[in-house]
């Protein structure tokens, strides 16, 4: 790919990258990504529709699930325009302000997802360890305040990043390694010291994802202690079964994140395609798999989806009276 630079262009434009070296296969690759995005959108909208329309699901557990679906949907939509733009139209150029806006939403929603997973672990802790106070502790008003606070926390922590990046002069190549904008990648293109960005980035990760993962682990340690104190084996299994979906969601979020961090830190010798695939796995696998996991493992969601498909499968004009 040949890109001609001039001074005015360098100040206002970055260039995104698809699967370099596989440009002739972008049409076929786009089919895979289009299918993934379609499944993500339909799956998360289905979860949201079922929770909104079924009053029996208006409980804290399902409110948090709706927050997770909204976050996954937002994360998917924040990368869709640039990813599919490259595959369909070879649209590699992105303005610096549009890049910073995309960066803000990607990082904010990633932190929100971590916070939602923490909120869901608190929900499971109260439901198992203090079931008699479940309805009084996790009231709808308190859940709304929790949701607003976790969104505000994430947005406020990410808000300085675009301004920290805007102060740099980018004298190096403006070609990014991915089909979307990320803070770590953009700051490496700066020609001045990036120590402030490094320190602030580590601070944000430590006080959000670091704290959230530690509290999730602590909540499950307390849940496990409570479950092991239950005399009946059947009751123990029933209590643990209510946590399976959330545990899967936690693993789907943190394992790709840890894998991507290890690849960035220790995988310089790995082929570039590995870095690309890990970044897509991190951003697309949780939104893709979370609706599937909750549809399979949560009985109430599974039954409602089955009823919807039963209605679609057998329209009224074909039903016997």
């Amino acid at each position: 790919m040949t890109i001609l630079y001039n001074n005015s262009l360098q100040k206002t434009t970055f260039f995104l990258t698809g699967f370099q070296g596989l440009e002739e296969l972008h049409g076929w690759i786009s089919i895979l990504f289009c299918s993934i995005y379609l499944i993500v959108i339909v799956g998360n909208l289905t979860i949201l529709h079922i929770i909104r329309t079924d009053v029996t699901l208006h409980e804290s557990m399902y409110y948090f699930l709706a927050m997770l679906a909204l976050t996954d949907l937002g994360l998917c939509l924040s990368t869709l325009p640039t990813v599919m733009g490259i595959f369909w139209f070879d649209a590699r150029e992105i303005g610096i302000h549009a890049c910073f806006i995309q960066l803000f939403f990607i990082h904010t929603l990633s932190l929100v997802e971590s916070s939602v997973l923490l909120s869901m672990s608190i929900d499971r802790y109260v439901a198992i360890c203090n079931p008699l106070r479940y309805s009084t502790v996790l009231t709808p008003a308190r859940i709304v305040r929790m949701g607003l606070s976790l969104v505000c926390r994430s947005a406020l922590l990410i808000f300085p990043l675009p301004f920290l990046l805007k102060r740099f002069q980018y004298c190096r190549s403006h070609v990014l390694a991915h089909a979307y904008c990320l803070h770590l990648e953009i700051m490496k293109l700066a020609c001045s010291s990036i120590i402030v960005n490094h320190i602030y980035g580590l601070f944000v990760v430590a006080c959000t994802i670091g704290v959230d993962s530690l509290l999730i682990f602590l909540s499950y340690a307390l849940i496990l202690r409570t479950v092991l104190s239950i005399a009946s084996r059947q009751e123990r299994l029933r209590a643990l079964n209510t946590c399976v979906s959330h545990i899967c969601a936690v693993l789907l979020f943190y394992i790709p994140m840890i894998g991507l961090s290890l690849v960035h830190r220790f995988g310089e010798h790995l082929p570039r395609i590995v870095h690309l695939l890990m970044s897509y796995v991190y951003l697309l696998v949780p939104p893709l798999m979370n609706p599937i996991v909750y549809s399979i493992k949560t009985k109430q969601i599974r039954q409602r989806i089955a009823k919807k498909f039963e209605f679609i499968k057998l329209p009224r004009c074909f039903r016997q009276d």
Side-chain angles (χ1 to χ4, degrees), residues 252-296:
L252 286 169
F253 178 76
Y254 283 103
I255 289 178
M257 175 182 288
I258 294 170
L260 183 61
S261 301
L262 292 175
V263 165
H264 274 302
R265 188 171 295 272
F266 304 110
E268 294 86 359
H269 62 285
L270 293 174
R272 188 173 174 280
I273 189 70
V274 175
H275 292 258
L276 277 176
L277 289 175
M278 283 302 301
S279 67
Y280 285 117
V281 166
Y282 166 62
L283 286 176
L284 293 180
V285 167
L288 174 68
M289 294 303 299
N290 283 337
I292 296 174
V293 168
Y294 275 93
S295 299
I296 294 173

Side-chain angles (χ1 to χ4, degrees), residues 1 8 16 60 82 117 152 163 215 220 239 268 284 310 318:
M1 178 179 66
S8 62
L16 305 171
S60 61
T82 52
L117 292 173
C152 290
F163 297 97
L215 292 176
Y220 271 101
E268 294 86 359
L284 293 180
E310 182 180 316
F318 293 103

Side-chain angles (χ1 to χ4, degrees), residues 123-137:
D123 172 81
R124 291 299 86 206
Y125 166 75
V126 176
I128 293 174
C129 300
N130 204 346
L132 296 179
R133 297 189 59 196
Y134 182 70
S135 58
T136 58
V137 171

Side-chain angles (χ1 to χ4, degrees), residues 35-221:
S35 301
I36 291 173
Y37 278 117
L38 185 62
I39 294 170
V40 170
I41 293 170
V42 171
N44 285 287
L45 285 178
T46 300
I47 296 291
L48 289 169
H49 173 72
I50 289 172
I51 293 174
R52 185 183 69 85
T53 56
D54 194 328
V55 293
T56 63
L57 300 182
H58 291 179
E59 300 176 3
S60 61
M61 173 183 173
Y62 301 105
Y63 290 146
F64 289 126
L65 177 55
M67 291 181 194
L68 184 65
L70 273 174
T71 305
D72 285 338
L73 195 59
L75 196 57
C76 164
L77 294 176
S78 65
T79 61
L80 186 150
T82 52
V83 172
M84 299 312 299
I86 286 178
F87 290 141
W88 283 347
F89 310 111
D90 197 34
R92 302 176 184 276
E93 190 175 326
I94 183 171
I96 192 168
H97 296 296
C99 189
F100 289 166
I101 291 171
Q102 185 185 50
L103 173 152
F104 172 80
F105 279 106
I106 290 175
H107 289 297
T108 297
L109 290 168
S110 294
L111 298 188
V112 169
E113 179 139 355
S114 175
S115 301
V116 171
L117 292 173
L118 172 60
S119 301
M120 296 174 83
S121 72
I122 294 172
D123 172 81
R124 291 299 86 206
Y125 166 75
V126 176
I128 293 174
C129 300
N130 204 346
L132 296 179
R133 297 189 59 196
Y134 182 70
S135 58
T136 58
V137 171
L138 294 172
T139 62
R142 188 163 292 168
I143 292 169
V144 170
R145 287 197 296 270
M146 288 174 66
L148 292 175
S149 64
L150 62 89
V151 171
C152 290
R153 182 190 74 160
S154 302
L156 289 174
L157 285 171
I158 298 299
F159 186 73
L161 289 184
F163 297 97
L164 290 173
L165 292 172
K166 192 175 181 180
R167 65 193 177 93
F168 291 135
Q169 292 291 325
Y170 297 99
C171 54
R172 298 172 187 161
S173 168
H174 278 213
V175 180
L176 303 177
H178 300 94
Y180 41 81
C181 300
L182 297 174
H183 170 254
L184 181 63
E185 188 180 1
I186 294 175
M187 74 177 183
K188 289 181 179 178
L189 302 180
C191 10
S192 51
S193 173
I194 57 174
I195 186 66
V196 173
N197 290 63
H198 266 302
I199 293 173
Y200 186 74
L202 290 173
F203 165 75
V204 170
V205 171
C207 68
T208 53
I209 292 172
V211 172
D212 292 348
S213 58
L214 181 63
L215 292 176
I216 290 172
F217 176 81
L218 178 61
S219 67
Y220 271 101

Side-chain angles (χ1 to χ4, degrees), residues 25-36:
L25 298 177
H26 273 186
W28 294 103
I29 296 173
S30 71
I31 297 174
L32 172 62
F33 275 83
C34 187
S35 301
I36 291 173

Side-chain angles (χ1 to χ4, degrees), residues 294-309:
Y294 275 93
S295 299
I296 294 173
K297 295 301 297 180
T298 306
K299 182 180 178 182
Q300 292 84 346
I301 297 291
R302 186 172 66 248
Q303 288 176 339
R304 272 55 174 194
I305 291 176
K307 287 182 179 179
K308 296 288 183 183
F309 277 103

